[in-house]
Amino acid sequence: MAVGNYSQVTEFILLGFSDKKELQILFFIFFFLVYAMVLLGNLLIMVTVMTDPKLSSPMYFLLCNLSFIDICCTSVTSPKMLVDLLLQRKAIAFEDCIAQLFFLHFIGASEMFLLTVMAYDRYIAICKPLRYTAIMSRRLCWLLVLACWLGGFLHSIIQTLLTIQLPFCGPNTINNYFCDVPLVIQLACTDLYVTEWLMASNSGLVSLVCFSVLVTSYMLILLTVRIRFAEGHWKALSTCSSHMLVVTVFFVPCIFTYLCPFSMASSKKHVCMIYTVFSPVMNPVIYTLRNNEVKAAVWRLWKRCRV
């Protein structure tokens, strides 16, 4: 289907990881296992938090929402990637490509905002513990989560509108396993100088600003913990260190991808794997294995299921 009077491209060809059948089978097995871990691990966290009354604090409410976003995020790219690994010709329709681009940025930006909210939650819990319950009410948590989704939608709709107004009339080969803004707009038959600046200021600066806020929050937490040398605060610091690991793995590749010149996008295929494939699998590992309360809740859930 053509867009406007300029577009003639009806589909894009995804080059994927390799055109060798043996490697594609190995990649399929590996990424299928990773995708299964993402689904099962994050679903386990969601079910555990929603069914255990002891995990009713704002931190676990936000963690449950993060697990849901991770499932959505990896499901935007992984199923198509797995199917393509079994095919010789990896094509995606123009409309499907734009839809994938939209949902990737919608969910990805929502996750950035949610991770920032989670850092704010830890800041209040550690730096203002006496006011924590009053500040982080359930109503505020719901409003913050809704604001994350709204912010993600506004970010994504801007990216999508800037993309679909471009004329696509020539090459249609994408050197990656999914459609993304830097890759797709490079195929447009027009000067991209202004468009690249607008998109970089949108995606790149959103990533950089959110990451800066996160780092600032954790620096304030570290200063507070240093002053208040107590067992409870060191426990909170352990939780924050896990959170910061997830944040770093997710944000640094995004900043590198969207702030660097888009002409380098084709060389960032393996960087994209970090935040689309591996980052979502880290949450169940980090938050379950390092958090005694979650591990105890998972064990209680297991015992209830066996009865």
Side-chain angles (χ1 to χ4, degrees), residues 86-136:
L86 300 177
L87 302 175
Q88 191 64 32
R89 187 175 185 272
K90 306 169 181 60
I92 183 171
F94 183 90
E95 296 85 353
D96 295 339
C97 181
I98 297 300
Q100 188 179 63
L101 181 153
F102 170 79
F103 284 108
L104 180 67
H105 281 265
F106 176 28
I107 299 169
S110 300
E111 180 165 358
M112 290 183 185
F113 296 135
L114 183 61
L115 288 169
T116 307
V117 169
M118 292 178 71
Y120 173 73
D121 170 74
R122 291 300 84 205
Y123 167 76
I124 297 298
I126 296 175
C127 300
K128 300 180 180 180
L130 299 179
R131 299 180 56 196
Y132 177 69
T133 304
I135 296 176
M136 295 300 295

Side-chain angles (χ1 to χ4, degrees), residues 249-281:
V249 171
F250 180 73
F251 272 91
V252 172
C254 289
I255 294 172
F256 175 73
T257 299
Y258 297 109
L259 271 184
C260 290
F262 284 5
S263 58
M264 298 171 54
S266 61
S267 64
K268 301 174 184 175
K269 183 188 307 184
H270 299 93
V271 175
C272 296
M273 289 174 52
I274 298 176
Y275 62 85
T276 60
V277 178
F278 296 115
S279 180
V281 83

Side-chain angles (χ1 to χ4, degrees), residues 28 91 115 126 128 136 159 199 223 228 282 291 300:
F28 175 84
L115 288 169
I126 296 175
K128 300 180 180 180
M136 295 300 295
Q159 296 287 87
M199 290 184 169
L223 291 174
R228 304 175 187 177
M282 290 187 65
N291 191 305
R300 288 194 295 270

Side-chain angles (χ1 to χ4, degrees), residues 142-261:
W142 274 108
L143 289 175
L144 290 173
V145 170
L146 290 175
C148 291
W149 283 104
L150 179 59
F153 176 80
L154 292 175
H155 159 78
S156 183
I157 199 67
I158 293 173
Q159 296 287 87
T160 305
L161 291 176
L162 286 172
T163 302
I164 62 176
Q165 56 84 32
L166 296 173
F168 296 93
C169 54
N172 67 337
T173 301
I174 297 177
N175 186 21
N176 211 322
Y177 57 93
F178 68 99
C179 291
D180 197 6
V181 167
L183 300 163
V184 173
I185 69 169
Q186 290 298 314
L187 304 178
C189 307
T190 186
D191 180 41
L192 299 171
Y193 181 78
V194 175
T195 304
E196 283 193 20
W197 272 104
L198 290 173
M199 290 184 169
S201 62
N202 189 353
S203 294
L205 287 182
V206 165
S207 305
L208 186 60
V209 169
C210 288
F211 186 65
S212 299
V213 172
L214 285 161
V215 172
T216 302
S217 299
Y218 287 117
M219 288 179 63
L220 294 173
I221 291 173
L222 286 173
L223 291 174
T224 302
V225 171
R226 183 178 179 182
I227 296 173
R228 304 175 187 177
F229 189 85
E231 181 181 353
H233 285 84
W234 283 116
K235 180 182 177 181
L237 181 61
S238 176
T239 302
C240 290
S241 64
S242 302
H243 186 187
M244 195 61 201
L245 177 60
V246 175
V247 163
T248 302
V249 171
F250 180 73
F251 272 91
V252 172
C254 289
I255 294 172
F256 175 73
T257 299
Y258 297 109
L259 271 184
C260 290

Side-chain angles (χ1 to χ4, degrees), residues 68-77 104 107-108 111 275-276 280:
F68 174 72
I69 286 181
D70 277 335
I71 291 175
C72 295
C73 186
T74 193
S75 296
V76 172
T77 58
L104 180 67
I107 299 169
E111 180 165 358
Y275 62 85
T276 60

